[in-house]
Amino acid sequence: MTEQMTGAQALVRALEHVGVDTVFGIPGGAILPAYDPLFDSEQVRHILVRHEQGAGHAAQGYAQATGRVGVCMATSGPGATNLVTPIADAYMDSVPIVAITGQVASDSIGTDAFQEADISGITLPITKHNFLVTDPADIGRTIAEAFHIASTGRPGPVLVDIAKDALQKTFDFVWPQAMQLPGYRPVTRPHSKQVREAAKLIVEAERPVLYIGGGVIKAGASAELRVLAELTGAPVITTLMAKGAFPDSHPQHMGMPGMHGNVGAVGALQKADLLVTLGARFDDRVTGRLDSFAPGAKVVHADIDPAEISKNRHADVPIVGDAREVIADLIVAIQAEHAAGHVGDYAAWWQQLDYLRDTYPLGYDTPPDGELSPQYVIERIGKIAGPDAYYVAGVGQHQMWAAQFIGYERPGAFVNSGGAGTMGFAVPAAMGVKVGSPDSVVWAIDGDGCFQMTNQELATCAIEGIPIKVAVINNGNLGMVRQWQTLFYNERYSNTDLQASRRIPDFVKLADAYGCVGLRCDKAEDVDATIAKAMEINDAPVVIDFVVHKDAMVWPMVAAGTGNDEIKYARDLAPDWENGD
């Protein structure tokens, strides 16, 4: 199919051909030519955000909810640089997005022209790939390649920067486009010899652990994981990015490991003699001090990205491949081992783990002064909204409490900023989740610090008819930083008090100003009724200001720079690892 059109028209046509139905963005000078044909598109809905960072996080949320590539768009210079944070966030958490940016005209590139920034150079370390397009004939092929790269192999962000004159020139547009990616061939099929060796180690182990990362969710491998877990009988731990990959309610689930993980999950890693690591990357928040992490364990490490294998921890059995295919092959290999009479015996191992799980369950104290417990609020949201809802968290204490006190029974139900830890993620990402799954209930669980970074996207939600629900866990402070100041800086609270004894801003009035419904709750007896009221409102965004105790802390905790063996169950309580032997 050949047709005469401008580069801008070719861009919109290419987006339609690759199946895009939603773009989050803000127009500006360099990208403006693209917005004219976009106005006429019957397929692509453009959602006008209030800040480019919001566009990027919304694209992430859309991608997480749909499994498709999220798309954001911005102009050159500051418009493009405002996308850097969500691009970095998507890169760290392997989220497939395509960021399309306008660039100054070709003959002005490198002259420090008005609103010029080398966004390709800036984002080179935080994208899977990026493109600078100066020829309109390259636009269609580049879009096809960008979407292919973003969504295959290890997913991630791709940037397409297009010069303004390339958008304005007329040429003969051709579709379909032949992609030119000779060096890009992601390996998805695992090596059978490595899989058989992994199965052999599993049935021979006495204390195996299935250590599950976000790659299992990306691969759509949750059903296969459950079969593998029940076939082996081994304990399962799921990282922050893998919450819901294995049901929290399953008896083999030990919980979340890491800095604020369950004692049982951390203990399982530390005492294991084999880690079967699937789609995880041995992040420092999981391992603590690397030289003391799981000291007696051999490692089977399966990942679609070969660069992750043995990057932080040596893999005794490395497996490169898609998690779904790896797990499926592992199931067959273990069945063969069982048929040959080789079956693991983990009874003694479960005795240890059950002791840790029963002795050190997750919990929290009720504030003695009658103030509202933030953990209670989040726990009740999870109970009332249920497992079919989406929960989108910002970063900090509320993020950890959302991971700890909401039960996740399905993959994708928990969306958060894991690797980058981006404050301001929750509201725009929840907006993207709701656009991608409009019939689902979507809760943004945010802190008052995070909320004030991106709450302008409530205006977008109100105008565009995107009725998310936002729970602001308002302790008047930068809570996680305050916790560290309490524990490690002699209670010297330098620049963490957000309110200075005054309620600024008033979140209820702010919600009303943005065209949302604003509610406030500061008593435990009113929590359920307030949540229920929010659940009944489906024609407008809802913001609840939960005024909570300012000194609540996240426990358990492995302090930064220490090993997992130094985990504290509460401020002055360390678990007794050995008593369960």
Side-chain angles (χ1 to χ4, degrees):
M1 181 185 73
T2 303
E3 188 177 350
Q4 186 85 3
M5 62 178 66
T6 65
Q9 290 171 320
L11 171 62
V12 174
R13 188 69 60 83
L15 292 175
E16 292 173 342
H17 281 310
V18 296
V20 173
D21 59 18
T22 306
V23 172
F24 302 91
I26 300 180
I31 196 66
L32 195 56
Y35 272 80
D36 187 61
L38 188 60
F39 186 73
D40 297 323
S41 177
E42 295 180 358
Q43 176 180 319
V44 181
R45 174 190 183 188
H46 181 275
I47 294 177
L48 178 62
V49 297
R50 297 308 183 261
H51 191 285
E52 291 89 354
Q53 182 180 352
H57 291 319
Q60 287 182 273
Y62 176 93
Q64 298 281 62
T66 64
R68 299 165 59 197
V69 177
V71 185
C72 53
M73 189 178 290
T75 195
S76 62
T81 59
N82 280 342
L83 287 175
V84 169
T85 293
I87 289 171
D89 194 291
Y91 185 74
M92 290 288 281
D93 288 346
S94 304
V95 180
I97 67 171
V98 168
I100 299 168
T101 53
Q103 183 54 275
V104 298
S106 303
D107 58 3
S108 297
I109 293 175
T111 67
D112 293 331
F114 176 67
Q115 289 193 334
E116 181 187 0
D118 179 12
I119 195 63
S120 296
I122 289 168
T123 60
L124 189 63
I126 55 170
T127 51
K128 277 191 74 175
H129 193 66
N130 60 40
F131 300 86
L132 172 59
V133 182
T134 57
D135 184 344
D138 292 335
I139 289 175
R141 175 182 56 79
T142 301
I143 290 297
E145 291 176 355
F147 276 74
H148 178 71
I149 293 169
S151 60
T152 55
R154 179 180 182 171
V158 176
L159 176 98
V160 179
D161 193 33
I162 309 175
K164 186 173 183 177
D165 56 316
L167 292 170
Q168 293 171 320
K169 289 178 182 175
T170 301
F171 75 109
D172 289 328
F173 175 74
V174 178
W175 194 273
Q177 294 282 338
M179 292 189 291
Q180 302 171 12
L181 298 169
Y184 181 69
R185 292 189 180 90
V187 174
T188 60
R189 289 288 302 153
H191 195 289
S192 58
K193 180 179 179 294
Q194 300 300 89
V195 171
R196 290 195 301 270
E197 182 62 26
K200 186 170 181 287
L201 285 180
I202 291 170
V203 298
E204 291 176 348
E206 295 180 356
R207 299 183 305 280
V209 172
L210 300 181
Y211 163 23
I212 307 304
V216 170
I217 292 179
K218 303 292 184 214
S222 295
E224 289 81 0
L225 172 62
R226 183 163 185 161
V227 173
L228 176 67
E230 293 177 350
L231 177 65
T232 62
V236 179
I237 63 164
T238 52
T239 66
L240 182 71
M241 300 309 296
K243 295 292 291 181
F246 193 72
D248 279 354
S249 60
H250 196 285
Q252 286 173 244
H253 192 231
M254 290 299 297
M256 182 179 76
M259 175 176 278
H260 294 296
N262 309 46
V263 170
V266 174
L269 289 174
Q270 291 303 100
K271 288 183 162 292
D273 65 0
L274 176 67
L275 301 183
V276 183
T277 307
L278 304 171
R281 57 189 179 87
F282 292 91
D283 177 72
D284 63 288
R285 283 303 191 259
V286 170
T287 65
R289 259 183 51 198
L290 200 57
D291 59 2
S292 64
F293 173 69
K298 290 184 177 181
V299 173
V300 173
H301 190 183
D303 202 285
I304 198 165
D305 185 354
E308 288 297 343
I309 295 177
S310 294
K311 183 179 79 174
N312 294 328
R313 173 68 177 258
H314 172 73
D316 298 278
V317 180
I319 304 175
V320 178
D322 176 80
R324 189 173 185 177
E325 299 198 33
V326 171
I327 296 171
D329 285 4
L330 262 178
I331 290 168
V332 174
I334 290 170
Q335 287 171 334
E337 291 285 346
H338 288 183
H342 307 143
V343 181
D345 179 6
Y346 312 138
W349 180 218
W350 273 111
Q351 185 177 355
Q352 294 182 53
L353 298 178
D354 286 340
Y355 164 77
L356 292 176
R357 182 159 56 184
D358 295 343
T359 307
Y360 304 103
L362 288 172
Y364 53 88
D365 295 324
T366 300
D369 53 7
E371 288 186 288
L372 190 56
S373 164
Q375 299 97 319
Y376 176 74
V377 170
I378 293 170
E379 186 175 49
R380 294 308 300 160
I381 290 172
K383 292 290 187 184
I384 294 170
D388 291 332
Y390 285 93
Y391 303 91
V392 187
V395 169
Q397 288 182 315
H398 62 280
Q399 175 192 28
M400 295 298 103
W401 289 323
Q404 291 177 334
F405 294 108
I406 294 175
Y408 299 100
E409 300 297 310
R410 62 179 184 88
F414 185 45
V415 177
N416 74 117
S417 171
T422 303
M423 292 182 70
F425 176 85
V427 170
M431 175 173 68
V433 169
K434 185 66 175 176
V435 171
S437 185
D439 296 330
S440 299
V441 174
V442 179
W443 278 90
I445 297 175
D446 221 355
D448 50 325
C450 285
F451 181 66
Q452 292 184 75
M453 292 192 172
T454 53
N455 63 36
Q456 67 270 18
E457 300 308 337
L458 290 173
T460 308
C461 291
I463 291 169
E464 295 283 346
I466 307 170
I468 64 172
K469 306 177 194 307
V470 183
V472 182
I473 309 302
N474 182 5
N475 64 3
N477 287 270
L478 298 173
M480 189 64 86
V481 185
R482 180 183 173 88
Q483 175 167 333
W484 282 47
Q485 288 174 332
T486 299
L487 297 174
F488 309 120
Y489 292 89
N490 299 316
E491 300 182 9
R492 290 165 54 82
Y493 300 116
S494 173
N495 291 285
T496 46
D497 186 347
L498 292 169
Q499 294 189 346
S501 302
R502 301 169 65 195
R503 187 171 283 158
I504 298 176
D506 183 319
F507 293 139
V508 174
K509 291 180 179 178
L510 183 69
D512 182 64
Y514 276 132
C516 306
V517 176
L519 306 171
R520 178 171 290 118
C521 178
D522 58 8
K523 295 182 177 62
E525 57 266 29
D526 296 333
V527 167
D528 282 15
T530 306
I531 296 170
K533 184 174 182 179
M535 291 288 288
E536 292 170 359
I537 299 169
N538 295 305
D539 57 355
V542 182
V543 177
I544 308 176
D545 180 15
F546 285 107
V547 182
V548 301
H549 182 56
K550 70 179 180 180
D551 285 317
M553 291 196 190
V554 183
W555 298 106
M557 181 176 182
V558 178
T562 68
N564 282 351
D565 287 330
E566 299 173 69
I567 189 172
K568 292 290 185 68
Y569 179 58
R571 184 166 183 176
D572 299 312
L573 177 63
D576 180 1
W577 293 122
E578 305 306 322
N579 203 24
D581 286 351

